[in-house]
Amino acid sequence: MIEEDILAKLISDKSGVSRSEAQTQLNELGVNIKSVVDAGEVFEMEGFGTFKKERNATVFEPDEVLQTEINQKYAGMRPIELIGSFKETAAAQPVEQVETPVPVEVEEVVKEPLVEISANGTEPPAEQAEPVVSIEDKKKVLQESSPPPPVQEKRGEKEAGESETGRASVVLIIAAIVAAILLAGWLLYSTGVFLNGKTARSVPVRNTQGVVVDNNVSNKPDGVANEDVSKATNAVYGLRGAVQPEAKDGFTIIVHSLWRKKHAFETLDAIKAKGYRALIQEANVGDQMYWRIGIGQFKTIKDAKKAIKSLPEPYKSNNFIKQQ
Amino acid sequence: MDETFLKAFSEVVREQVSQKSEVKLKGVGVFKPKHRKQFQQQYEDGRVVMVPPKDLITFAPESSNGYD
């Protein structure tokens, strides 16, 4: 609380009047106000306000200028009309509502003599999140007598002619188009147009010995088909099929070295989906943990090198052979 | 009373209350800051408005019953 000495000091600092003088004048002011008011008269301070007695109690009416200054933050704000149903979405213009999302202090609420909605208990912040639309100012109620406020943009709430049902059918059409594109894409994928000659089967056909029988005979630029079959007959080792535990003493072709585990496993699945035998390894290089994805299992380095020739790019040019 | 003083007094009170401090004038009362949060209001014609928040200056007299 600012009073006495501190108040005198502040006044002295501001006016250049000495502190003692300010103190004297403060006392004098208090006495003056009291005597005037007690006599039933009004004590007016220009630009500040008036003191008077109302039913035996001293009241202070702040001057308009003072009120506006105090309410600087919100001065010029006008009540905003809320719409009951929120059909119009994008037209919302939360005009100059600075504070709304956060109900700050817990001071008393000064009640005005108007009907209020039960919203008194509920915090209105949610209101601003929802579409709030203002209308042209036909409002006469709640006109503060403050000086002409800064231009407050009020837009009509009508969307440019778009009715509800019209919009719904547009959305439907778009959804149908998207669905058609996705369907077409899936069909193409399954007929192998996008792939490098291999079918999009995630589980390659095999016989009991784990030999991969590749049925797809579409054109293969690297002449892979034959090599596939020859690799496949080498049951334990190979480029395709499932990872064989017996082959773990061999070598693999590392085609990826990744940092993120999740990404690594996703890539692993992608490679398996292409029909390759793929495995994943952890490796520590310096401080960094890498997840390495290897293709195929081979008895010798020589076999691995041979297999590399049959790999598509980018694997063909970007790999190294590692012991499993 | 001295105009310079009165003007300075006004300004000091206004500044302090704006900064959410109370100012007491001995023998008279206390100036206090008040904040009114935004609230909804309904008019008779059914319209609902959101009234913006407001900062106010209020006054509490020294002795409210007037019997000193």
Side-chain angles (χ1 to χ4, degrees):
Chain A
M1 173 118 60
I2 309 287
E3 59 182 317
E4 303 272 12
D5 316 343
I6 313 171
L7 184 52
K9 178 189 180 305
L10 289 167
I11 292 173
S12 162
D13 289 344
K14 188 160 277 292
S15 64
V17 166
S18 77
R19 221 175 278 193
S20 53
E21 182 60 32
Q23 185 66 264
T24 312
Q25 298 237 11
L26 267 174
N27 297 335
E28 200 186 309
L29 177 63
V31 166
N32 284 353
I33 293 175
K34 198 155 180 5
S35 57
V36 165
V37 152
D38 284 344
E41 309 241 339
V42 169
F43 187 99
E44 187 176 335
M45 289 173 70
E46 199 186 318
F48 187 66
T50 49
F51 297 86
K52 62 182 173 219
K53 266 266 165 62
E54 249 172 43
R55 290 185 303 164
N56 244 347
T58 313
V59 299
F60 171 72
E61 238 173 63
D63 191 85
E64 273 180 35
V65 170
L66 177 61
Q67 284 188 57
T68 311
E69 291 271 3
I70 297 270
N71 190 36
Q72 209 170 27
K73 218 161 53 164
Y74 313 106
M77 282 192 185
R78 289 288 168 264
I80 290 185
E81 176 135 339
L82 306 175
I83 288 191
S85 66
F86 298 95
K87 282 182 189 168
E88 274 94 13
T89 49
Q93 277 301 314
V95 182
E96 293 180 37
Q97 286 289 349
V98 178
E99 141 167 330
T100 43
V102 181
V104 185
E105 294 91 338
V106 197
E107 317 257 345
E108 279 178 53
V109 171
V110 175
K111 295 268 200 308
E112 310 232 301
L114 285 167
V115 176
E116 287 183 2
I117 280 197
S118 60
N120 235 357
T122 62
E123 278 318 305
E127 299 304 330
Q128 286 309 313
E130 292 163 338
V132 168
V133 176
S134 60
I135 63 172
E136 303 310 314
D137 31 8
K138 315 172 200 168
K139 301 187 239 320
K140 284 154 201 162
V141 200
L142 293 183
Q143 283 304 330
E144 329 241 33
S145 48
S146 40
V151 176
Q152 187 147 351
E153 279 250 290
K154 297 191 180 174
R155 304 225 191 125
E157 66 268 28
K158 295 175 187 71
E159 291 274 19
E162 213 166 10
S163 67
E164 245 192 272
T165 51
R167 174 179 266 177
S169 55
V170 169
V171 170
L172 247 124
I173 290 169
I174 291 174
I177 292 171
V178 170
I181 292 171
L182 288 172
L183 185 63
W186 180 79
L187 286 171
L188 289 171
Y189 178 65
S190 64
T191 61
V193 168
F194 288 143
L195 294 181
N196 198 358
K198 322 238 185 303
T199 23
R201 284 180 295 194
S202 52
V203 181
V205 175
R206 358 201 221 112
N207 62 23
T208 50
Q209 286 172 320
V211 174
V212 174
V213 178
D214 202 349
N215 290 333
N216 196 3
V217 205
S218 36
N219 56 337
K220 303 172 173 63
D222 295 323
V224 167
N226 302 331
E227 300 223 15
D228 268 8
V229 173
S230 65
K231 289 284 165 301
T233 54
N234 206 354
V236 173
Y237 297 97
L239 194 57
R240 296 177 179 276
V243 175
Q244 304 287 347
E246 305 93 3
K248 282 245 149 114
D249 58 346
F251 298 88
T252 188
I253 306 168
I254 304 287
V255 293
H256 283 290
S257 218
L258 303 166
W259 287 11
R260 284 177 306 226
K261 188 174 177 177
K262 185 172 176 232
H263 181 221
F265 277 93
E266 282 167 3
T267 315
L268 179 74
D269 289 339
I271 293 184
K272 281 187 179 167
K274 292 184 182 154
Y276 292 109
R277 188 188 298 204
L279 46 94
I280 197 161
Q281 285 183 346
E282 285 176 45
N284 258 308
V285 180
D287 280 338
Q288 181 67 40
M289 162 91 93
Y290 288 94
W291 298 89
R292 290 183 178 153
I293 298 180
I295 293 189
Q297 293 173 302
F298 305 96
K299 194 157 189 191
T300 65
I301 297 183
K302 194 170 163 201
D303 283 345
K305 282 189 181 169
K306 231 169 150 188
I308 287 174
K309 292 201 190 122
S310 69
L311 289 178
E313 296 292 5
Y315 306 134
K316 193 173 173 188
S317 315
N318 294 289
N319 61 69
F320 59 89
I321 297 169
K322 185 99 178 57
Q323 197 153 24
Q324 285 177 71
Chain B
M1 285 209 70
D2 181 25
E3 215 185 284
T4 323
F5 166 81
L6 288 176
K7 197 154 160 247
F9 173 82
S10 294
E11 282 179 29
V12 167
V13 172
R14 193 223 314 144
E15 282 165 13
Q16 291 305 314
V17 169
S18 290
Q19 293 166 33
K20 306 294 177 183
S21 293
E22 298 183 353
V23 182
K24 178 171 166 187
L25 181 57
K26 197 169 77 173
V28 186
V30 185
F31 299 97
K32 299 183 183 182
K34 214 137 227 156
H35 177 78
R36 191 185 68 212
K37 292 180 283 195
Q38 65 177 12
F39 60 94
Q40 288 178 29
Q41 205 157 62
Q42 185 168 39
Y43 300 140
E44 282 168 19
D45 59 3
R47 286 185 303 151
V48 179
V49 295
M50 180 73 79
V51 180
K54 193 168 183 185
D55 283 332
L56 307 137
I57 178 171
T58 64
F59 176 78
E62 188 147 280
S63 53
S64 46
N65 62 5
Y67 291 97
D68 274 58

